[in-house]
Every structure is written in C-alpha cells, then in structure tokens.
Amino acid sequence: MSFRVRRKPYKACRKCRAIVDRSAEKCPYCGSTDLTDDWEGMIIVIDPENSAVAKLLGITKPGRYAIKVR
Ligand SMILES: [Zn+2]
C-alpha cells in the first residue's frame, strides 16, 4: 500500500492528493500547480464509491493518491 524511496518518481498535488509525474507542472485532476515532493504512502483508488479509505481521504475520482501530503 505504501513505499519509500530516496528520490520519488512522482510528485503529489497538495490540493487533491493526486500523484502526478515528476515532469508535470500542474495536476491533471484539479488543475492546481501546488505540487510537492513531500508526500508519503500511495494508494490506488479504483472504486471510490466503495472504498473506505477513499471516503476517509475525501477522494471522489479513481486514480493514484498520496496518503500524507505536507
Ligand atoms: Zn490536484
């Protein structure tokens, strides 16, 4: 469910927690440019309607999300 590497291959959106490619300049989900390397734990949400974790994190769209974003 989560992983730790020294240099993360992805950044996370501070606004909606979506995981985006390092090269991305804005979040494809919400359009925010507030992206950060400072995140922990990735979850993949396939069916937000039926995912307790997705509900807990306020995720409404399928995708990859960071569990913690600073
Ligand atoms: Zn976003």
Side-chain angles (χ1 to χ4, degrees):
M1 284 298 265
S2 67
F3 73 103
R4 269 167 202 261
V5 287
R6 244 174 234 152
R7 185 177 160 82
K8 294 189 180 82
Y10 303 107
K11 296 189 285 193
C13 173
R14 278 206 177 96
K15 207 170 158 194
C16 71
R17 298 169 185 264
I19 304 286
V20 301
D21 285 340
R22 287 204 71 83
S23 58
E25 277 172 21
K26 67 177 190 174
C27 173
Y29 294 84
C30 72
S32 169
T33 53
D34 194 4
L35 307 174
T36 178
D37 276 326
D38 205 1
W39 59 273
E40 266 179 43
M42 185 195 287
I43 62 159
I44 296 171
V45 175
I46 293 155
D47 185 3
E49 291 286 305
N50 294 301
S51 165
V53 183
K55 282 196 181 116
L56 196 71
L57 297 175
I59 292 163
T60 56
K61 284 183 233 170
R64 291 174 302 184
Y65 295 89
I67 292 169
K68 247 194 240 176
V69 176
R70 283 183 209 91

